[in-house]
Amino acid sequence: MAEKWLVGVDLGGTTVKMAFLTTDGDIVHKWEIDTDLSNKGENIVKHIAQSLEDTLRRLGESKDRLLAIGIGAPGPVHKETGMLYETVNLGWKNYPLKERLEQETALPVAVDNDANIAALGEMWKGAGNGARDLICVTLGTGVGGGVIANGQIVHGVNGAGGEIGHMTMIPKGGAPCNCGKTGCLETIASATGIVRIAKEKLSRWNKPTLLRSETVTAKAVFDAAKANDELALEVVDEATFYLGLALANAANVSNPEKIVIGGGVSKAGDILVERVNAYFRRFAFPRVAEGATMVLATLGNDAGVIGGAWLAKTSFCV
Ligand SMILES: [Zn+2]
């Protein structure tokens, strides 16, 4: 009999990443479709189910090859019912994602938050390298957080556990955040936050800087910092200071073995990790700092689908 596959799905605001994986977490086939945001996202689940069928047909496989689906969605999730409380990106509110996707696919479905499944992916096949206590931050347009304690995601009572991106770093006069607060880590250490800080500093800057001659992006800031641009170094210092501080405070709660930094901004590489790590070590409780290793995520865009497969496997197959 042919080996069975797990389905990992990473549902985002612009694309849905999908993959078939072996029960050992190796990707057999991966693809993506656009997220259909029309009519408050009512077609999203149908499209995912349809795309699964189409892809199976293209591969010449039948549906009984599939064991279960694990899906990550951008918002807090009720763990038992697989209901999504709210996703601003997709237009859903109290949306029964597990139930709907099970109806459309006739497969068992497990649901979690997108940052959480990325953390599970890194734990299983990536930078976590088997560690069972880890903290994962994803630095993209926003700042996602996933905290794993003893191999389990910390969900909390409302599904909002591990939201490191919304730790308040600037208690007074901080920039507004998408969550409704001000001064969140996300307003500083996300790609958007880094650009905002750079533009603010640039408007008051009288000295030469590489950043004046090009469109300011997070990548441009890090590239300029690598070339020793004074303004860019200030921006990087501010972002990494607050990220190191937030991670130190988060780590003091769960005493992780690994702290994994992923997302588009993490492509900056060593310059980012070295600086965040230095601040982390300054602010963490010494024994917490001693126990933790800070590393870059290794799975890139595959973290979500791999974590989804882990979720499906541990929910239905073990
Ligand atoms: Zn926030």
Side-chain angles (χ1 to χ4, degrees):
M1 205 180 83
E3 188 194 27
K4 296 274 192 181
W5 292 342
L6 299 161
V7 185
V9 182
D10 186 0
L11 170 54
T14 44
T15 61
V16 186
K17 297 182 179 67
M18 297 199 260
F20 296 138
L21 302 95
T22 68
T23 51
D24 292 328
D26 296 320
I27 292 176
V28 179
H29 184 76
K30 65 174 175 176
W31 73 101
E32 60 179 68
I33 57 173
D34 291 337
T35 308
D36 180 353
L37 296 173
S38 63
N39 294 327
K40 294 189 173 169
E42 67 169 24
N43 301 318
I44 292 172
V45 166
K46 271 203 171 66
H47 277 170
I48 292 172
Q50 189 62 51
S51 182
L52 279 179
E53 300 272 355
D54 292 348
T55 306
L56 281 171
R57 199 173 311 120
R58 244 193 339 271
L59 295 174
E61 298 287 349
S62 75
K63 198 158 179 188
D64 53 19
R65 184 109 203 212
L66 307 181
L67 286 165
I69 300 173
I71 178 168
V77 170
H78 186 270
K79 190 172 166 265
E80 277 74 38
T81 60
M83 184 195 70
L84 227 62
Y85 290 104
E86 187 165 14
T87 74
V88 182
N89 288 343
L90 306 179
W92 290 347
K93 201 165 171 111
N94 296 329
Y95 186 84
L97 179 57
K98 174 183 163 72
E99 197 185 306
R100 294 280 163 82
L101 192 55
E102 283 182 343
Q103 280 165 3
E104 292 291 336
T105 61
L107 286 165
V109 174
V111 184
D112 210 321
N113 168 267
D114 54 358
N116 287 346
I117 63 163
L120 289 171
E122 289 291 341
M123 172 182 78
W124 191 21
K125 302 294 282 186
N129 200 19
R132 292 178 59 80
D133 291 278
L134 60 152
I135 290 179
C136 235
V137 279
T138 311
L139 310 175
T141 320
V143 174
V147 175
I148 299 176
N150 197 24
Q152 300 287 322
I153 286 283
V154 175
H155 289 98
V157 68
N158 271 341
E163 285 290 352
I164 293 167
H166 300 285
M167 288 173 73
T168 300
M169 307 314 294
I170 314 281
K172 275 184 188 168
C177 183
N178 287 328
C179 73
K181 297 197 295 126
T182 57
C184 293
L185 178 65
E186 180 162 303
T187 68
I188 303 166
S190 63
T192 330
I194 289 167
V195 168
R196 183 187 58 78
I197 294 168
K199 283 184 172 166
E200 244 174 56
K201 287 188 188 291
L202 196 54
S203 69
R204 288 181 268 114
W205 196 260
N206 303 318
K207 290 177 269 180
T209 168
L210 296 167
L211 293 177
R212 220 185 302 274
S213 56
E214 52 187 315
T215 317
V216 180
T217 60
K219 183 180 184 301
V221 170
F222 278 101
D223 287 346
K226 285 173 194 168
N228 272 322
D229 184 272
E230 197 185 336
L231 172 62
L233 284 169
E234 273 192 21
V235 179
V236 168
D237 189 61
E238 187 166 332
T240 54
F241 171 90
Y242 285 109
L243 187 54
L245 175 60
L247 288 172
N249 289 344
N252 277 6
V253 177
S254 69
N255 191 190
E257 179 181 344
K258 288 274 168 67
I259 296 176
V260 182
I261 302 182
V265 174
S266 72
K267 290 190 183 125
D270 292 342
I271 185 173
L272 175 73
V273 175
E274 277 164 19
R275 279 154 207 251
V276 176
N277 197 32
Y279 285 122
F280 169 76
R281 275 165 210 288
R282 187 198 293 183
F283 295 124
F285 182 61
R287 207 166 161 75
V288 168
E290 220 172 89
T293 310
M294 189 173 288
V295 288
L296 284 168
T298 61
L299 299 178
N301 286 336
D302 294 339
V305 292
I306 293 173
W310 169 261
L311 186 65
K313 175 176 158 134
T314 53
S315 301
F316 304 113
C317 308
V318 179

